[in-house]
Amino acid sequence: MGDLISLLREGLPESAVLTDPDVTASYANDMASFCPAGAPVAVVLPRTVEQVRHVMRTATALRVPVVPQGARTGLSGAANAVDGCVVLSLVKMDRILEIDPVERIAVVEPGVVNAVLSRAVLEHGLYYPPDPSSWEQCTIGGNIGTASGGLCCVKYGVTAEYVLGLDVVLADGRLLTTGRRTAKGVAGYDLTRLFVGSEGSLGIVVRAVLALRPAPPAQLALAAEFPSTATACEAVRRIMARGHAPSLLELMDRTTVRAVNSLTGMGLPESTEALLLAAFDTPDPGPDLAAVAEVCTAAGATEVVPADDPAESELLLHARRVALPALEALSPATMIDDVCVPRGRLAAFVDATSAIAERHGLTIGVCAHAGDGNTHPVVCFDPADEDEARRARESFDEIMALGLELGGTITGEHGVGLLKKEWLAREAGPVAMEMQRGIKAVFDPLGILNPGKVF
């Protein structure tokens, strides 16, 4: 260990290399449950690309594993340390290098916080759409690593659709530049997309060229109450089938609505079985909202409440934004799942998840990006109760299996990490896994980059 620390400090300021076990232990894991974490030998906090290259050259020379980290808001264990590793925290690389309103791009370092970038580009009349619920804390590098999504994905898409180019430090310290700054570009294999969602297993992203859009008008929302999950999901199906393009289309089940009431005192009707929130950010959203209100009523909504202005819309949408904290307040711990199913199977998924909760004697709330079928079942449990923790893990696995059975995928935006390794193999199949492992070997032949994650 002495050789490693001394070599690291040759290319880094002393303050950038942390070795106190009490300090390094605080970098050991992200926010996922049921994911083991090891003890890092050191945590390094570089500020420059050259410092990252020095870390990787040192790690390669000594065959030391490296675990890249952002803000550690992830939910799959992808940022968890392994024993004897160097944790490479990129949070100090937090500069916005360029905002170009003509090309509609931003060039940023990986430690830039999502919300900071969003506010900065808004000053130029531009918009960076991906908005994970942790956007006030999560970093762009972490968003790229896990291919994050957010509430607006139904209209604007996920992180992968906004990453035009990357600078990546490879396992041996070489610097790779991928992609482009132009609106179009199809030269060669799309290495940029390969790194998006790779969870730090192929290289260390040190710079990103991100696509921007013109800032849309403030959105206007409505809330619709339904007597059943089936009627709410039928409304979702009809909204999408009729060609509407909401900027947000979110679903909260009965358990989530009651949890939000308990946390906030918002007074949402506890008789509702499902609450649907829809919003439009068009120049004149009124006709769109009216049409969606009619669809909801025809599908069986018991009440539809449209907002009169953006401020009232924000009050309605606040219920969805606090859904996860509200569910987390119900128990000492939660497991937040991330299963995406076809929109037409959404009701079947939510109802079957409710049955799983009842069978295991657990509270499981479901909130969902209904417009794209991405659900977040939240399993509430007490980790100090061994039997309850066991039932929580079993219910999680049953939910994963349910998603695949319904033609879905094991993750829409949280990644694989440690939590879903075995499920990735089930979803992808042996041929795809062989190809993916082959790609990993090309970029990381020594297996030192975030070992044990994804595969």
Side-chain angles (χ1 to χ4, degrees), residues 37 81 194 288 335 337 340 348 438:
L194 187 60
D288 291 309
M335 287 188 73
D337 212 328
C340 193

Side-chain angles (χ1 to χ4, degrees), residues 76-116:
S76 68
N80 283 18
V82 298
D83 284 334
C85 77
V86 171
V87 164
L88 180 57
S89 174
L90 298 157
V91 295
K92 300 293 187 182
M93 296 181 68
D94 60 356
R95 294 179 300 162
I96 299 174
L97 302 173
E98 181 183 356
I99 297 172
D100 188 330
V102 175
E103 304 302 335
R104 294 181 180 172
I105 61 170
V107 183
V108 305
E109 292 183 328
V112 172
V113 171
N114 185 294
V116 171

Side-chain angles (χ1 to χ4, degrees), residues 23-41:
V23 175
T24 59
S26 68
Y27 288 83
N29 55 275
D30 62 17
M31 297 179 69
S33 298
F34 293 111
C35 291
V41 170

Side-chain angles (χ1 to χ4, degrees), residues 34 335 337 353 356-364 377-381 388-402 423:
F34 293 111
M335 287 188 73
D337 212 328
T353 298
I356 290 171
E358 185 174 352
R359 185 161 61 251
H360 286 281
L362 295 169
T363 297
I364 302 178
V378 180
V379 182
C380 304
F381 70 101
E388 190 165 291
R390 175 189 58 78
R391 286 182 279 125
R393 184 62 206 233
E394 288 177 359
S395 70
F396 179 89
D397 286 340
E398 289 183 27
I399 292 168
M400 298 290 288
L402 171 65
W423 290 100

Side-chain angles (χ1 to χ4, degrees), residues 123-148:
E123 294 179 6
H124 298 264
L126 297 169
Y127 177 43
Y128 180 67
D131 61 342
S133 59
S134 60
W135 77 308
E136 293 281 7
Q137 295 86 35
C138 65
T139 62
I140 295 298
N143 294 169
I144 292 170
T146 57
S148 299

Side-chain angles (χ1 to χ4, degrees), residues 184-199:
K184 295 180 180 178
V186 293
Y189 295 132
D190 191 347
L191 296 182
T192 302
R193 279 291 186 111
L194 187 60
F195 283 101
V196 179
S198 66
E199 303 182 33

